[in-house]
Amino acid sequence: MKMHLAELNVGRLVAPTDDPRVREFMDNLDLINGLGKQMPGFVWMMEGSGEPGKGNTDAGIGGDPQFVANLTVWEDVESLERFVWGTVHRQFYDRRETWFEVMRDMHFVMWWVPEGHQPTLEEALDRLARRQREGDTDDAFGWDWLRAARMHKTHGCRPSAA
């Protein structure tokens, strides 16, 4: 069975989505998400309200509208790395502390899913909780767990908010 790579990244915005402090981030969500969807190796993305500029920000985790999630599926780690580190996405990643609170807990997880599977936010949050409890395992891991992952080592994956 062919497997794809799922990833969940969560963060808490420093302000509500309509606040000027996060305007630049919100104004570029459609651009970045659209770019991701056009990348070779992109498979699926959890969609939000469908409203322009909203992305997945209406998924509010735990009833907190500022706590947002990005959940995607990719054919392989190389495809995800090319998007994260090799496109304009990198510029937004490098500035994440401008728009997101610094998280004390681990906020990123990846895992393998069967081709055609679209994980739910609940499933993804469960994987994140597993990684928080157990560290990297075959069922829930970060970049360093994947031997094929290379770009994150040279492109400065430093800990931060989202």
Side-chain angles (χ1 to χ4, degrees), residues 80-138:
L80 176 57
E81 279 194 306
R82 273 192 301 277
F83 170 66
V84 171
W85 309 112
T87 69
V88 68
H89 174 277
R90 167 86 189 270
Q91 295 173 22
F92 287 87
Y93 177 86
D94 287 346
R95 295 187 55 217
R96 64 199 180 279
E97 291 176 354
T98 304
W99 307 296
F100 288 91
E101 295 177 359
V102 174
M103 304 276 291
R104 284 180 277 164
D105 294 328
M106 190 177 306
H107 61 277
F108 175 75
V109 66
M110 295 182 281
W111 70 101
W112 295 106
V113 297
E115 182 177 21
H117 179 68
Q118 296 177 352
T120 64
L121 182 56
E122 181 180 357
E123 174 188 349
L125 290 170
D126 193 43
R127 296 285 180 151
L128 178 60
R130 186 178 307 174
R131 185 171 181 226
Q132 290 169 338
R133 281 190 317 269
E134 301 170 18
D136 288 339
T137 66
D138 286 338

Coordinates of all heavy atoms in Angstrom, one line a residue, residues 80-138:
L80 N 7.0 18.1 0.6 CA 6.7 19.0 1.7 C 7.9 19.9 2.0 O 7.7 21.1 2.1 CB 6.3 18.2 3.0 CG 6.1 19.0 4.2 CD1 5.0 20.0 4.0 CD2 5.8 18.1 5.4
E81 N 9.1 19.4 2.0 CA 10.3 20.2 2.2 C 10.4 21.3 1.1 O 10.7 22.4 1.5 CB 11.5 19.4 2.3 CG 11.8 18.7 3.6 CD 13.2 18.2 3.7 OE1 13.6 17.4 2.8 OE2 13.9 18.5 4.7
R82 N 10.2 20.9 -0.1 CA 10.3 21.9 -1.2 C 9.3 23.1 -0.9 O 9.7 24.2 -1.2 CB 10.0 21.3 -2.5 CG 11.3 20.7 -3.2 CD 11.1 20.3 -4.6 NE 10.0 19.3 -4.9 CZ 10.1 18.0 -4.7 NH1 11.3 17.5 -4.4 NH2 9.1 17.2 -5.0
F83 N 8.1 22.8 -0.5 CA 7.2 23.8 -0.3 C 7.6 24.7 1.0 O 7.6 25.9 0.9 CB 5.8 23.3 0.0 CG 4.8 24.3 0.5 CD1 4.4 25.3 -0.3 CD2 4.3 24.2 1.8 CE1 3.5 26.3 0.2 CE2 3.4 25.1 2.2 CZ 3.0 26.2 1.4
V84 N 7.9 24.0 2.1 CA 8.2 24.7 3.3 C 9.5 25.6 3.2 O 9.5 26.7 3.6 CB 8.3 23.7 4.5 CG1 8.9 24.4 5.7 CG2 7.0 23.1 4.8
W85 N 10.5 25.0 2.6 CA 11.8 25.7 2.7 C 12.2 26.3 1.3 O 13.2 27.1 1.3 CB 12.9 24.7 3.1 CG 12.6 24.0 4.4 CD1 12.3 22.6 4.5 CD2 12.4 24.5 5.7 NE1 12.0 22.3 5.8 CE2 12.1 23.5 6.5 CE3 12.6 25.8 6.2 CZ2 11.9 23.7 7.9 CZ3 12.4 26.0 7.5 CH2 12.0 24.9 8.4
G86 N 11.6 25.9 0.2 CA 12.0 26.3 -1.1 C 11.1 27.3 -1.8 O 11.3 27.5 -3.0
T87 N 10.1 27.8 -1.1 CA 9.2 28.8 -1.8 C 9.1 30.0 -0.9 O 9.7 30.1 0.2 CB 7.8 28.2 -2.0 OG1 7.2 28.0 -0.7 CG2 7.9 26.9 -2.7
V88 N 8.2 30.9 -1.3 CA 8.0 32.1 -0.5 C 7.4 31.8 0.9 O 7.5 32.6 1.9 CB 7.0 33.1 -1.2 CG1 5.6 32.5 -1.4 CG2 7.0 34.5 -0.6
H89 N 6.9 30.6 1.1 CA 6.4 30.1 2.4 C 7.5 30.3 3.4 O 7.3 30.7 4.6 CB 6.0 28.6 2.3 CG 5.6 28.1 3.7 ND1 6.6 27.6 4.5 CD2 4.5 27.9 4.3 CE1 6.0 27.2 5.6 NE2 4.7 27.4 5.5
R90 N 8.8 30.1 3.1 CA 9.9 30.2 4.0 C 10.0 31.6 4.6 O 10.3 31.8 5.8 CB 11.2 29.9 3.2 CG 12.5 30.3 3.9 CD 12.9 29.2 4.9 NE 14.0 29.6 5.7 CZ 15.3 29.5 5.5 NH1 15.7 29.0 4.3 NH2 16.2 29.9 6.3
Q91 N 9.7 32.6 3.8 CA 9.7 34.0 4.3 C 8.7 34.2 5.5 O 8.9 34.9 6.4 CB 9.4 35.0 3.2 CG 10.5 35.0 2.2 CD 10.2 35.9 1.0 OE1 9.4 36.8 1.1 NE2 10.8 35.6 -0.1
F92 N 7.5 33.6 5.3 CA 6.5 33.7 6.3 C 6.8 32.8 7.5 O 6.6 33.2 8.7 CB 5.1 33.3 5.7 CG 4.6 34.4 4.9 CD1 4.9 34.4 3.5 CD2 3.8 35.4 5.4 CE1 4.5 35.4 2.7 CE2 3.4 36.4 4.6 CZ 3.7 36.5 3.2
Y93 N 7.4 31.6 7.3 CA 7.9 30.8 8.4 C 8.9 31.5 9.2 O 8.9 31.5 10.4 CB 8.5 29.5 7.8 CG 9.1 28.6 8.8 CD1 8.2 27.7 9.5 CD2 10.4 28.6 9.2 CE1 8.8 26.8 10.5 CE2 10.9 27.8 10.2 CZ 10.1 26.9 10.8 OH 10.6 26.1 11.8
D94 N 9.8 32.2 8.6 CA 10.9 32.9 9.3 C 10.3 34.0 10.1 O 11.0 34.5 11.1 CB 11.9 33.4 8.3 CG 12.8 32.3 7.8 OD1 12.9 31.2 8.3 OD2 13.6 32.6 6.8
R95 N 9.2 34.5 9.8 CA 8.6 35.6 10.5 C 7.4 35.2 11.4 O 6.6 36.0 11.9 CB 8.1 36.7 9.6 CG 9.2 37.3 8.8 CD 8.8 38.5 7.9 NE 8.1 39.5 8.7 CZ 7.0 40.2 8.3 NH1 6.6 40.0 7.1 NH2 6.5 41.0 9.1
R96 N 7.3 33.9 11.7 CA 6.1 33.4 12.4 C 5.9 34.0 13.8 O 4.8 34.2 14.3 CB 6.1 31.9 12.5 CG 7.3 31.3 13.3 CD 7.5 29.8 12.9 NE 8.7 29.3 13.6 CZ 9.9 29.4 13.3 NH1 10.3 30.1 12.2 NH2 10.9 28.8 14.0
E97 N 7.0 34.4 14.5 CA 6.9 35.0 15.8 C 6.3 36.4 15.7 O 5.8 36.9 16.8 CB 8.3 35.1 16.5 CG 8.8 33.7 16.8 CD 10.2 33.8 17.4 OE1 10.8 34.8 17.4 OE2 10.7 32.7 17.8
T98 N 6.1 37.0 14.6 CA 5.4 38.3 14.4 C 3.9 38.1 14.6 O 3.3 38.9 15.2 CB 5.6 38.8 13.0 OG1 7.0 39.0 12.8 CG2 4.9 40.1 12.8
W99 N 3.4 36.9 14.2 CA 2.0 36.7 14.2 C 1.5 35.6 15.2 O 0.3 35.5 15.5 CB 1.5 36.2 12.8 CG 1.9 37.2 11.8 CD1 1.6 38.5 11.6 CD2 2.9 37.0 10.7 NE1 2.2 39.1 10.6 CE2 3.0 38.1 10.0 CE3 3.6 35.8 10.3 CZ2 3.8 38.2 8.9 CZ3 4.4 35.9 9.2 CH2 4.5 37.1 8.5
F100 N 2.4 34.8 15.7 CA 2.1 33.7 16.6 C 2.8 33.8 17.9 O 3.9 34.1 18.0 CB 2.4 32.3 15.9 CG 1.5 32.0 14.8 CD1 1.8 32.3 13.5 CD2 0.3 31.3 15.0 CE1 1.0 32.0 12.4 CE2 -0.5 31.0 14.0 CZ -0.2 31.3 12.7
E101 N 2.1 33.4 19.0 CA 2.7 33.3 20.3 C 3.7 32.2 20.3 O 3.6 31.2 19.6 CB 1.6 32.9 21.4 CG 0.6 34.0 21.5 CD -0.5 33.7 22.5 OE1 -0.5 32.5 23.1 OE2 -1.4 34.5 22.7
V102 N 4.7 32.3 21.1 CA 5.7 31.2 21.3 C 5.0 30.1 22.1 O 4.5 30.4 23.2 CB 7.0 31.7 21.9 CG1 7.9 30.6 22.2 CG2 7.6 32.8 21.1
M103 N 5.0 28.9 21.5 CA 4.3 27.8 22.1 C 5.3 27.1 23.1 O 6.4 26.8 22.7 CB 3.8 26.8 21.1 CG 2.9 27.4 20.0 SD 1.2 27.5 20.5 CE 0.8 25.8 20.5
R104 N 4.8 26.8 24.3 CA 5.6 26.0 25.2 C 5.7 24.5 24.8 O 6.7 23.9 25.0 CB 5.1 26.2 26.6 CG 5.5 27.5 27.2 CD 4.9 27.6 28.6 NE 3.5 28.0 28.5 CZ 2.6 28.0 29.4 NH1 2.9 27.5 30.5 NH2 1.4 28.4 29.1
D105 N 4.5 24.0 24.4 CA 4.4 22.6 24.0 C 4.8 22.4 22.5 O 4.7 23.3 21.7 CB 3.0 22.1 24.2 CG 2.6 22.1 25.7 OD1 3.5 21.9 26.5 OD2 1.4 22.3 26.0
M106 N 5.2 21.2 22.2 CA 5.4 20.8 20.8 C 4.2 21.1 20.0 O 3.0 20.9 20.5 CB 5.8 19.3 20.8 CG 6.3 18.9 19.5 SD 6.7 17.1 19.6 CE 7.8 17.1 21.0
H107 N 4.3 21.6 18.8 CA 3.2 22.1 18.0 C 3.2 21.6 16.6 O 2.4 22.0 15.8 CB 3.1 23.6 18.0 CG 4.4 24.2 17.4 ND1 5.5 24.4 18.1 CD2 4.6 24.6 16.2 CE1 6.4 24.9 17.3 NE2 5.9 25.1 16.1
F108 N 4.1 20.6 16.3 CA 4.2 20.1 14.9 C 4.4 18.6 14.9 O 5.1 18.1 15.8 CB 5.4 20.8 14.2 CG 5.7 20.2 12.9 CD1 5.0 20.6 11.8 CD2 6.8 19.4 12.7 CE1 5.3 20.1 10.5 CE2 7.1 18.9 11.4 CZ 6.3 19.3 10.3
V109 N 3.7 17.9 14.0 CA 3.8 16.5 14.0 C 3.6 16.0 12.5 O 2.8 16.7 11.8 CB 2.8 15.8 14.9 CG1 1.3 16.0 14.5 CG2 3.1 14.3 15.0
M110 N 4.2 14.9 12.2 CA 4.0 14.3 10.9 C 3.8 12.8 11.1 O 4.2 12.3 12.2 CB 5.2 14.4 10.0 CG 5.5 15.9 9.5 SD 6.9 16.0 8.4 CE 8.3 15.9 9.6
W111 N 3.1 12.1 10.2 CA 2.9 10.7 10.3 C 2.5 10.2 8.9 O 2.1 11.0 8.0 CB 1.9 10.3 11.3 CG 0.4 10.7 11.0 CD1 -0.6 9.9 10.5 CD2 -0.2 12.0 11.1 NE1 -1.7 10.6 10.4 CE2 -1.5 11.9 10.7 CE3 0.3 13.3 11.6 CZ2 -2.4 13.0 10.7 CZ3 -0.5 14.3 11.5 CH2 -1.9 14.2 11.1
W112 N 2.6 8.9 8.7 CA 2.3 8.3 7.4 C 0.8 7.9 7.4 O 0.3 7.3 8.4 CB 3.2 7.1 7.1 CG 4.6 7.5 6.9 CD1 5.6 7.3 7.8 CD2 5.2 8.2 5.8 NE1 6.8 7.8 7.4 CE2 6.6 8.4 6.1 CE3 4.7 8.7 4.6 CZ2 7.5 9.1 5.3 CZ3 5.6 9.4 3.8 CH2 6.9 9.5 4.1
V113 N 0.2 8.1 6.2 CA -1.2 7.7 6.1 C -1.4 7.0 4.8 O -0.6 7.2 3.8 CB -2.2 8.9 6.0 CG1 -2.2 9.7 7.4 CG2 -1.9 9.9 4.9
P114 N -2.3 6.0 4.7 CA -2.5 5.3 3.4 C -3.0 6.3 2.3 O -3.7 7.3 2.6 CB -3.6 4.3 3.7 CG -3.7 4.3 5.2 CD -3.2 5.6 5.7
E115 N -2.5 6.1 1.1 CA -2.9 6.9 0.0 C -4.4 7.0 -0.1 O -5.1 6.0 0.1 CB -2.4 6.3 -1.3 CG -2.7 7.1 -2.6 CD -2.1 6.5 -3.8 OE1 -1.8 5.3 -3.8 OE2 -2.0 7.2 -4.8
G116 N -4.9 8.2 -0.2 CA -6.4 8.4 -0.3 C -7.0 8.8 1.1 O -8.1 9.3 1.1
H117 N -6.3 8.7 2.2 CA -6.8 9.0 3.5 C -6.6 10.5 3.7 O -5.6 11.1 3.5 CB -6.0 8.2 4.6 CG -6.5 8.5 6.0 ND1 -7.7 8.2 6.4 CD2 -5.9 9.2 7.0 CE1 -7.9 8.6 7.7 NE2 -6.7 9.2 8.0
Q118 N -7.7 11.1 4.2 CA -7.7 12.5 4.6 C -7.9 12.6 6.1 O -9.0 12.4 6.6 CB -8.8 13.3 3.8 CG -8.6 13.3 2.4 CD -9.8 14.0 1.6 OE1 -10.8 14.3 2.2 NE2 -9.6 14.2 0.3
P119 N -6.9 12.8 6.8 CA -7.0 12.8 8.3 C -7.9 13.9 8.8 O -8.0 15.0 8.2 CB -5.6 13.0 8.8 CG -4.8 13.6 7.6 CD -5.5 13.2 6.4
T120 N -8.6 13.7 9.9 CA -9.4 14.7 10.6 C -8.5 15.5 11.5 O -7.4 15.0 11.9 CB -10.5 14.0 11.4 OG1 -9.9 13.2 12.4 CG2 -11.4 13.1 10.5
L121 N -9.0 16.6 11.9 CA -8.3 17.4 12.9 C -8.1 16.7 14.2 O -7.1 16.7 14.8 CB -9.0 18.8 13.1 CG -8.3 19.8 14.0 CD1 -6.9 20.0 13.6 CD2 -9.1 21.1 14.1
E122 N -9.2 16.0 14.6 CA -9.1 15.2 15.8 C -8.0 14.1 15.7 O -7.2 13.9 16.7 CB -10.5 14.5 16.1 CG -10.5 13.7 17.3 CD -11.8 13.0 17.6 OE1 -12.8 13.2 16.8 OE2 -11.9 12.3 18.5
E123 N -7.9 13.4 14.6 CA -6.9 12.4 14.4 C -5.5 13.1 14.5 O -4.6 12.6 15.1 CB -7.0 11.8 13.1 CG -5.9 10.8 12.6 CD -6.1 10.3 11.2 OE1 -7.1 10.6 10.6 OE2 -5.1 9.7 10.7
A124 N -5.4 14.2 13.9 CA -4.1 14.9 13.8 C -3.7 15.4 15.2 O -2.5 15.3 15.6 CB -4.1 16.1 12.9
L125 N -4.6 16.0 16.0 CA -4.4 16.4 17.3 C -4.0 15.2 18.2 O -3.1 15.4 19.1 CB -5.5 17.2 17.9 CG -5.8 18.5 17.3 CD1 -7.1 19.1 17.7 CD2 -4.6 19.5 17.6
D126 N -4.6 14.1 18.0 CA -4.2 12.9 18.7 C -2.8 12.5 18.4 O -2.0 12.1 19.3 CB -5.2 11.7 18.3 CG -5.1 10.6 19.3 OD1 -5.0 10.8 20.5 OD2 -5.0 9.4 18.8
R127 N -2.3 12.6 17.2 CA -0.9 12.3 16.8 C 0.0 13.3 17.5 O 1.1 12.9 18.0 CB -0.7 12.4 15.3 CG -1.5 11.4 14.5 CD -0.9 10.0 14.6 NE -1.6 9.0 13.9 CZ -1.1 8.0 13.3 NH1 0.1 7.7 13.4 NH2 -1.9 7.1 12.6
L128 N -0.4 14.6 17.5 CA 0.4 15.6 18.2 C 0.6 15.3 19.7 O 1.7 15.3 20.2 CB -0.2 17.0 18.0 CG 0.6 18.1 18.7 CD1 2.0 18.2 18.2 CD2 -0.2 19.4 18.4
A129 N -0.5 14.9 20.3 CA -0.5 14.6 21.7 C 0.4 13.3 22.0 O 1.2 13.3 23.0 CB -1.9 14.3 22.3
R130 N 0.4 12.4 21.1 CA 1.2 11.2 21.2 C 2.7 11.6 21.1 O 3.5 11.2 21.9 CB 0.9 10.2 20.1 CG 1.7 8.9 20.2 CD 1.3 8.0 19.1 NE -0.2 7.8 19.0 CZ -0.8 7.1 18.1 NH1 -0.1 6.5 17.1 NH2 -2.1 7.0 18.1
R131 N 3.0 12.5 20.2 CA 4.4 13.0 20.0 C 4.8 13.8 21.3 O 6.0 13.7 21.7 CB 4.6 13.8 18.8 CG 6.0 14.2 18.6 CD 6.3 14.9 17.2 NE 7.7 15.2 17.1 CZ 8.2 16.4 16.7 NH1 7.4 17.3 16.3 NH2 9.5 16.6 16.7
Q132 N 3.9 14.6 21.8 CA 4.2 15.3 23.0 C 4.5 14.4 24.2 O 5.4 14.7 25.0 CB 3.1 16.3 23.4 CG 2.9 17.4 22.4 CD 1.6 18.2 22.6 OE1 0.6 17.7 23.2 NE2 1.6 19.4 22.2
R133 N 3.8 13.3 24.3 CA 4.0 12.3 25.4 C 5.2 11.5 25.2 O 5.9 11.2 26.2 CB 2.8 11.4 25.5 CG 1.5 11.9 26.1 CD 0.5 10.8 26.4 NE 0.3 9.9 25.3 CZ -0.6 10.0 24.3 NH1 -1.3 11.1 24.3 NH2 -0.6 9.1 23.3
E134 N 5.4 10.9 24.0 CA 6.4 9.9 23.8 C 7.6 10.3 23.0 O 8.5 9.5 22.8 CB 5.7 8.7 23.0 CG 4.5 8.1 23.7 CD 3.7 7.2 22.9 OE1 4.2 6.7 21.9 OE2 2.5 6.9 23.3
G135 N 7.6 11.5 22.4 CA 8.7 11.9 21.5 C 8.5 11.3 20.2 O 7.4 10.8 19.9
D136 N 9.5 11.4 19.3 CA 9.4 10.8 18.0 C 9.3 9.3 18.0 O 10.1 8.6 18.7 CB 10.6 11.2 17.2 CG 10.6 12.7 16.8 OD1 9.5 13.3 16.8 OD2 11.7 13.2 16.5
T137 N 8.3 8.8 17.3 CA 8.1 7.4 17.1 C 7.6 7.2 15.6 O 7.4 8.1 14.9 CB 7.0 6.8 18.0 OG1 5.7 7.4 17.6 CG2 7.2 7.1 19.5
D138 N 7.5 5.9 15.2 CA 7.0 5.7 13.9 C 5.6 6.2 13.6 O 5.3 6.4 12.5 CB 7.0 4.2 13.6 CG 8.4 3.6 13.4 OD1 9.3 4.4 13.1 OD2 8.6 2.4 13.6

